[in-house]
């Protein structure tokens, strides 16, 4: 069995839906996971934020979400000879019902003057709840036996809203029960990104988490492959939006792909590789506009020719430097600093240390302010914002030294803040001021890949 995941860019309009259905037809009974239609999740979250101060403004956004889905359905059904008025009505009712749910949440946010993580997840999930049901119903008008599956029935998580952890045993059980129950020709269509906790609250797996849903289902059903279908032909040597002559990489190891995703390659959610790699299921990243292109295959196989395979970058980072006070024992210092970051759930990106200080590059998260206050008990704390990280991945051991020399020779070194290099893992991370970061990415890419 193949798991096919189609992202927001693939779900944008009726024409794209037809393209996606054509791809689904190439497979024998796949399991389909879809994201919300392009930009809908952002809109929903914007409406929730707006509702704190301006309910009318929030309702305007909600009616845009309504209109967008209504016209998508009308466009789709107008071109479909087998569409019945019954299906059209079901779709219209579904949209109205979910816009009602949304407006109730918006009113609640306004009245209570609070946007809790729980409500935020419930609002954000509406995008996938709309797209998955509507797509399954529309798919059925084209002769495919697509059947909508509510992700709350399969994806069980803990209650860490906005970034919930999946409960794998439960998911495995439910996924198998579902497949036993489905008819042999039925194609399940499930919304990605959301699930439900054990108290019945809707949760989400983190922004852009549909890739992760696909991987969890793939692992549960021991799929042959997990295919991530998007608008580019795989994982490229760098973001093709910034570097137009970046090239797709045919093969990456799970570790290399995870590293790239974690350090900013938006094409894959960083958690996606874990269930796949643990269950030895390859991930294939493919292009809906060019389905015959091979794309990128991610598996345990690592093909190394010595050179860097890809690079990525992320902005919106900060560097915190803590200098130990005289009273703190050396052996307590680092443990204490990292413990605070653990309690604030702040993942560390790059670290360098001296005898009495540590510098940590980290995403510029809301929780950073609180962490800094607590870090002061270990010494003085300095914060530098406007930082970004460039990461180079997949270099073999003997080439990393010359790589460091070449890379630093190609960028403005005065803006570099921290550097970390691992010969063993074959990667290089450079933390620098964001002012120069895209120019530096361009010149490093040109040096390595042209
Ligand atoms: P989807 O809606 O299908 O989930 P995303 O927008 O999440 O799509 O991911 C696809 C986009 O990721 C591409 O259009 C591309 O601009 C961006 N991207 C960033 N880095 C890379 C990379 N290294 N390789 C390919 N695409 C990348
Ligand atoms: Mg994505």
């Amino acid at each position: 069995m193949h798991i096919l995941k189609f992202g927001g860019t693939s779900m944008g309009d009726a024409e794209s839906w037809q393209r996606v259905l054509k791809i689904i037809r190439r497979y024998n009974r796949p399991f389909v996971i879809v994201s919300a239609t392009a930009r809908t999740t952002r809109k929903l979250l914007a409406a929730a934020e707006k509702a704190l101060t301006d309910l009318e403004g929030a309702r305007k956004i909600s009616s845009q979400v309504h209109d967008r889905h209504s016209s998508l359905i009308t466009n789709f059904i107008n071109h479909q000879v087998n569409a019945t008025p019954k299906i059209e009505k079901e779709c219209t009712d579904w949209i109205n019902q979910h816009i009602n749910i949304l407006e109730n949440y918006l009113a609640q946010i306004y009245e209570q003057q609070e946007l809790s993580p729980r409500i935020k997840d419930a609002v954000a999930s509406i995008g996938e709840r709309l797209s998955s049901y509507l797509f399954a119903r529309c798919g059925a008008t084209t002769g495919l036996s697509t059947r909508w599956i509510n992700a709350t029935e399969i994806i069980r998580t803990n209650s860490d809203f906005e970034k919930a952890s999946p409960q794998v045993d439960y998911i495995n059980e439910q996924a198998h029960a579902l497949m036993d129950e489905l008819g042999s020709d039925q194609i399940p269509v499930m919304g990605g990104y959301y699930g439900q906790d054990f108290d019945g609250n809707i949760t989400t797996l983190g922004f852009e988490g549909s890739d992760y849903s696909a991987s969890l289902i793939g692992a549960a059903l021991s799929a042959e492959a997990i295919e991530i279908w998007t608008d580019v032909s795989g994982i490229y040597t760098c973001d093709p939006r910034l570097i137009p002559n970046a090239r797709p990489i045919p093969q990456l190891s799970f570790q290399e792909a995870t590293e790239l995703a974690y350090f900013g390659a938006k094409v894959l959610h960083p958690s996606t590789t874990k269930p796949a790699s643990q269950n030895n299921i390859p991930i294939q990243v493919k292009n809906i506009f060019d389905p015959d292109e091979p794309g990128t295959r991610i598996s345990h196989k690592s093909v190394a020719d010595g050179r860097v395979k890809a690079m990525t970058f992320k902005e919106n980072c900060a560097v915190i430097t803590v200098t130990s006070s005289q009273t703190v024992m050396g052996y307590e210092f680092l443990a204490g600093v990292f413990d605070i970051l653990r309690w604030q759930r702040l993942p560390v990106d790059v670290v360098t240390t001296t005898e009495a200080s540590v510098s940590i590059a980290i995403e510029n998260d809301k929780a950073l302010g609180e962490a800094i206050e607590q870090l002061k008990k270990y010494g003085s704390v300095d914060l530098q914002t406007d930082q970004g990280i460039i990461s180079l991945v997949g270099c073999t051991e003997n080439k990393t030294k010359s790589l460091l020399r070449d890379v630093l020779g190609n960028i403005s070194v005065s803006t570099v803040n921290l550097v970390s290099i691992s010969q063993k893992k074959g990667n290089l991370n450079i933390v620098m001021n964001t002012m120069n970061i895209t120019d530096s990415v361009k010149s490093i890419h040109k040096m390595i890949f042209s």
Side-chain angles (χ1 to χ4, degrees), residues 28-301:
N28 176 26
R29 207 189 175 205
F31 195 117
V32 177
I33 314 268
V34 297
S35 298
T37 55
R39 294 175 302 279
T40 295
T41 311
R42 272 177 221 278
K43 273 212 170 281
L44 292 164
L45 289 170
E49 291 284 347
K50 191 133 200 121
L52 282 167
T53 52
D54 173 9
L55 186 58
E56 268 322 294
R59 284 197 180 124
K60 265 196 198 123
I61 304 178
S62 143
S63 75
Q64 289 166 7
V65 174
H66 171 277
D67 295 351
R68 197 246 174 109
H69 288 85
S70 279
S71 59
L72 202 163
I73 293 305
T74 311
N75 280 340
F76 191 97
I77 287 189
N78 280 346
H79 289 95
Q80 213 49 56
V81 280
N82 294 332
T84 61
K86 179 171 169 277
I87 287 187
E88 192 168 4
K89 181 166 184 322
E90 277 170 14
C91 289
T92 312
D93 288 350
W94 189 264
I95 297 171
N96 291 338
Q97 184 193 336
H98 283 79
I99 295 300
N100 260 334
I101 296 174
L102 171 61
E103 297 206 337
N104 284 336
Y105 282 129
L106 297 177
Q108 196 181 327
I109 295 166
Y110 182 72
E111 274 158 29
Q112 297 177 351
Q113 286 295 293
E114 192 200 345
L115 175 52
S116 66
R118 186 174 64 83
I119 302 277
K120 220 172 173 177
D121 273 1
V123 168
S125 73
I126 289 174
E128 272 75 9
R129 288 195 269 164
L130 285 169
S131 66
S132 55
Y133 176 88
L134 299 174
F135 181 76
R137 294 308 289 136
C138 285
T141 69
T142 70
L144 281 172
S145 298
T146 40
R147 185 175 138 184
W148 179 65
I149 306 298
N150 192 351
T152 54
E153 283 163 26
I154 314 275
I155 304 290
R156 196 50 43 98
T157 71
N158 69 4
S159 306
D160 284 343
F161 297 104
E162 297 183 75
K163 209 175 181 176
S165 298
Q167 307 298 297
V168 173
D169 291 341
Y170 187 95
I171 295 171
N172 291 353
E173 230 168 79
Q174 290 303 105
H176 281 284
L178 169 73
M179 295 318 286
D180 290 344
E181 182 217 325
L182 287 184
S184 63
D185 65 332
Q186 285 188 313
I187 300 173
V189 175
M190 189 184 93
Y193 175 54
Y194 76 101
Q196 183 176 294
D197 70 6
F198 285 102
D199 298 325
N201 299 303
I202 288 184
T203 54
T204 66
L205 300 169
F207 199 59
E208 307 259 356
S210 290
D211 300 335
Y212 192 17
S213 305
S215 189
L216 289 165
I217 296 291
L221 297 176
S222 305
E224 208 172 302
I226 298 155
E227 300 193 346
I228 306 292
W229 286 82
T230 184
D231 61 348
V232 289
S233 296
I235 301 186
Y236 284 55
T237 49
C238 192
D239 186 350
R241 258 179 244 179
L242 179 71
I243 311 279
N245 63 352
R247 295 186 301 264
I249 311 157
Q251 169 80 43
L252 284 172
S253 69
F254 284 120
Q255 195 211 318
E256 289 160 348
T258 312
E259 204 84 37
L260 286 170
Y262 182 78
F263 283 104
K266 186 177 171 269
V267 62
L268 201 66
H269 185 279
S271 303
T272 314
T273 44
K274 203 172 162 192
S277 118
Q278 278 170 351
N279 292 277
N280 197 16
I281 302 169
I283 299 175
Q284 192 84 30
V285 182
K286 290 187 60 89
N287 189 349
I288 58 155
F289 299 103
D290 213 343
D292 293 323
E293 276 290 305
T296 300
R297 186 180 171 85
I298 305 163
S299 69
H300 280 300
K301 194 168 134 199

